[in-house]
């Protein structure tokens, strides 16, 4: 079972899943949490945390578009989640959202801004 499938399973069981301090998974209500579930979560914890962070980044760029109706694109960069890469999350209004991994040693935020500004990403 992959992280996204585990999160889907938890949500189907009406278990709220929340990332706390970028390193802990909080589950509510406590009475729905079994020992078997805890063991499964421990086994996949890094992947689940990565998926929760990905979901948060996507929600953030979509909220940015919602809050700024004149903007065509919104993006966020995550320099903390991956030790080797910058994660660039980009949403394009009424089209899609996606993520790019850019090696930290090659990442230049000004180049990324220029590419986005010049509409090279449609």
């Amino acid at each position: 079972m992959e992280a996204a499938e585990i999160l889907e399973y938890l949500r189907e069981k009406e278990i709220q899943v929340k990332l706390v301090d970028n390193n802990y998974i909080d589950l509510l209500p406590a009475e729905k949490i079994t020992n078997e579930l805890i063991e499964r979560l421990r086994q996949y914890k890094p992947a689940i945390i990565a998926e929760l962070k990905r979901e948060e980044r996507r929600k953030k760029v979509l909220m940015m578009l919602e809050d700024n109706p004149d903007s065509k694109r919104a993006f966020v960069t995550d320099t903390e989640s991956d030790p080797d890469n910058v994660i660039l999350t980009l949403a394009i209004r009424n089209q899609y959202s996606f993520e790019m991994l850019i090696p930290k040693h090659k990442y230049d935020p000004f180049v990324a801004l220029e590419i986005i500004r010049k509409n090279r990403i449609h």
Side-chain angles (χ1 to χ4, degrees), residues 6 17 26 31 41 43 52 64 89 92 101:
I6 292 171
V17 184
D26 190 25
E31 58 270 8
L41 292 173
Q43 182 180 1
L52 288 169
M64 290 166 71
T89 305
I92 301 174
L101 295 178

Side-chain angles (χ1 to χ4, degrees), residues 10-49:
L10 292 171
R11 291 171 179 147
E12 286 173 359
K13 298 292 182 190
E14 297 182 357
I15 297 173
Q16 296 176 11
V17 184
K18 186 173 153 184
L19 186 60
V20 179
D21 295 333
N22 280 332
N23 203 26
Y24 301 99
I25 301 169
D26 190 25
L27 304 171
L28 291 171
E31 58 270 8
K32 290 188 176 185
I33 310 307
T34 65
N35 288 337
E36 178 185 333
L37 180 58
I38 289 171
E39 285 306 311
R40 180 174 288 163
L41 292 173
R42 279 189 183 130
Q43 182 180 1
Y44 292 97
K45 182 180 175 184
I48 293 169
I49 289 173

Side-chain angles (χ1 to χ4, degrees), residues 3 5 22 38 46-47 49-50 58 80 84 89 94 118 120:
E5 292 170 327
N22 280 332
I38 289 171
I49 289 173
R58 183 172 187 274
E80 303 298 320
D84 301 317
T89 305
N94 300 324
K118 286 187 173 183
R120 292 184 185 165

Side-chain angles (χ1 to χ4, degrees), residues 49-106:
I49 289 173
E51 181 64 17
L52 288 169
K53 287 179 180 181
R54 186 194 66 75
E55 289 178 358
E56 285 182 0
R57 290 187 298 266
R58 183 172 187 274
K59 285 179 188 175
K60 188 173 183 177
V61 292
L62 293 175
M63 184 61 70
M64 290 166 71
L65 286 177
E66 187 176 314
D67 290 345
N68 298 289
D70 293 334
S71 295
K72 294 179 183 177
R73 290 170 287 296
F75 70 95
V76 296
T77 54
D78 179 351
T79 60
E80 303 298 320
S81 294
D82 186 320
D84 301 317
N85 298 295
V86 171
I87 303 170
L88 176 70
T89 305
L90 179 68
I92 301 174
R93 186 177 302 282
N94 300 324
Q95 292 186 35
Y96 45 80
S97 65
F98 62 92
E99 291 195 334
M100 295 172 53
L101 295 178
I102 304 169
K104 283 185 177 179
H105 69 279
K106 291 186 176 186

